[in-house]
Amino acid sequence: MADREMYLQIAALFAQTDEITIETTLMGEQAGQKKILTGEERMLPPGEHVYRETLYGRSRAVVCGGGHVSLALVRFLKLLDFHVTVIDGREEFANRERFPEADEILCMDFEEGLEQRDFGEHAYYIIVTRGHKDDYRCLRSILKKKRDYVGMIGSRGKVAMSFERLRQDGVEEEEIRKIHAPIGLAISAQTPAEIGVSICAEIIQEKNKYPRKTLEEEVLRGIRDENAVTMVTVVEKSGSSPRGEGTRMVVCRDGSIYGTIGGGPIEFAAVKEARNFSDVGGFSIREYDLSNSKAATLGMVCGGKVKVLFEKL
């Protein structure tokens, strides 16, 4: 049985680490039992009839600079479920009134904020400061950190000058090639909002090259809802089907949901099942077949199969 407290414990652990590996036993006397693995246990192969997954915390975005581009950028990043930190040393540009949606605002020198704070090993750093000198200072500090992404705004000429200075400072060419500059996809963006869109599009492109399973913020809200009754998780998929393995949603007594496993008839059927879920042990696996011969009962034909885990909260 999925213990609500177990999921809350997993969520709390993300304050200390970027990733957590858990195992769920799918068959036998221990079916439904979950376990958080230690570092050593993660190195061992999973046992038989066990579903193992590594979950990552919310992606973190660190925005260096509080100007016009950042105003649009922070809003878009929050829509993408990022934890967002804004850094700027100017009080008029780093305050809650200006950035009400940001999770964290650091009114301090860029280097101080970047070097004193730990943003984890998978952060996305976005450099959009007011000038070339601050951009370079941010870049030098960020290159000392493990990260998933770093991008810097600026003209091609300014970027070339910055890269040459990095070489003179002894930065390896391989590290320089990892910098996204000029930042953003080339969509001829002009306004701050358009530039924000181009930056977010590039981040999405990079992030989804190596998809990671996360406990989405909306799903966490569902776990905390006292009216939530069932956790629904896609544990296996093949062929053409909705969202991938590890996708979750929480279903409440009244049929409302937090998160999604892809929408459409499959989600409708899963919600109907989850509302009145009462299997012994509070744990069950259902398989939805989307092949031409069977999908008609769900009102769709797209091929593939989806195996869904139901756990009572």
Side-chain angles (χ1 to χ4, degrees):
M1 178 177 178
D3 185 354
R4 191 187 303 261
E5 291 303 318
M6 168 63 83
Y7 277 112
L8 293 176
Q9 179 186 351
I10 292 168
L13 285 173
F14 284 127
Q16 308 167 26
T17 183
D18 282 345
E19 56 189 83
I20 298 168
T21 300
I22 61 175
E23 281 189 346
T24 305
T25 303
L26 301 180
M27 295 181 65
E29 294 181 359
Q30 302 298 317
Q33 294 298 310
K34 288 189 182 295
K35 180 181 180 181
I36 300 174
L37 302 187
T38 65
E40 292 182 358
E41 289 172 330
R42 290 174 58 181
M43 303 303 294
L44 300 174
E48 192 176 7
H49 305 309
V50 165
Y51 176 59
R52 177 183 290 188
E53 58 181 337
T54 297
L55 296 176
Y56 292 81
R58 289 171 66 199
S59 297
R60 284 181 170 268
V62 182
V63 180
C64 299
H68 297 303
V69 170
S70 298
L71 282 176
L73 184 59
V74 168
R75 289 196 293 271
F76 297 148
L77 288 168
K78 291 302 298 179
L79 286 173
L80 296 172
D81 203 30
F82 275 80
H83 179 286
V84 181
T85 298
V86 177
I87 308 175
D88 198 303
R90 301 167 292 174
E91 291 185 8
E92 64 272 29
F93 285 88
N95 58 73
R96 181 57 59 187
E97 183 177 354
R98 184 170 175 82
F99 291 103
E101 296 176 292
D103 296 279
E104 185 178 36
I105 302 169
L106 303 179
C107 186
M108 59 177 65
D109 178 79
F110 292 116
E111 289 173 299
E112 180 184 2
L114 289 167
E115 294 179 7
Q116 289 187 4
R117 303 299 293 269
D118 181 7
F119 299 106
E121 297 183 358
H122 301 290
Y124 293 73
Y125 294 94
I126 303 156
I127 304 172
V128 283
T129 77
R130 59 180 171 174
H132 170 68
K133 290 184 178 179
D134 283 334
D135 287 348
Y136 189 78
R137 290 167 57 217
C138 290
L139 191 56
R140 289 293 286 130
S141 294
I142 292 165
L143 290 180
K144 300 173 186 177
K145 297 173 172 287
K146 290 185 178 181
R147 62 199 177 276
D148 276 359
Y149 173 95
V150 56
M152 182 178 71
I153 202 168
S155 65
R156 295 191 179 278
K158 191 188 83 168
V159 167
M161 290 175 56
S162 296
F163 283 6
E164 184 56 35
R165 186 175 173 186
L166 288 174
R167 295 184 185 98
Q168 293 174 3
D169 287 347
V171 177
E172 297 287 340
E173 198 67 32
E174 182 180 357
E175 283 297 304
I176 295 175
R177 284 197 294 269
K178 294 177 183 176
I179 303 167
H180 294 264
I183 195 171
L185 294 186
I187 59 172
S188 300
Q190 300 293 322
T191 68
E194 289 175 348
I195 294 170
V197 168
S198 75
I199 293 171
C200 285
E202 184 175 70
I203 287 175
I204 292 170
Q205 178 177 268
E206 292 301 308
K207 182 170 71 73
N208 290 344
K209 285 181 179 178
Y210 309 99
R212 295 190 177 115
K213 301 173 189 175
T214 63
L215 269 180
E216 297 172 353
E217 188 64 22
E218 187 174 354
V219 171
L220 287 174
R221 287 197 296 271
I223 294 169
R224 298 185 182 103
D225 188 337
E226 294 181 356
N227 293 312
V229 291
T230 307
M231 174 73 77
V232 179
T233 306
V234 175
V235 296
E236 188 178 313
K237 62 165 284 187
S238 62
S240 177
S241 56
R243 296 184 68 188
E245 179 195 333
T247 301
R248 284 179 164 83
M249 72 175 177
V250 173
V251 181
C252 298
R253 293 186 184 90
D254 61 1
S256 60
I257 63 173
Y258 293 88
T260 176
I261 59 169
I266 281 187
E267 184 165 289
F268 176 81
V271 169
K272 183 178 180 180
E273 175 83 21
R275 287 183 65 184
N276 303 304
F277 182 62
S278 59
D279 282 31
V280 176
F283 174 89
S284 184
I285 295 176
R286 302 283 194 269
E287 187 171 301
Y288 298 96
D289 191 331
L290 306 182
S291 63
N292 291 354
S293 60
K294 297 183 179 181
T297 58
L298 291 178
M300 65 188 298
V301 177
C302 62
K305 295 180 180 180
V306 180
K307 190 175 289 187
V308 178
L309 171 65
F310 292 84
E311 301 174 283
K312 204 72 174 175
L313 290 172

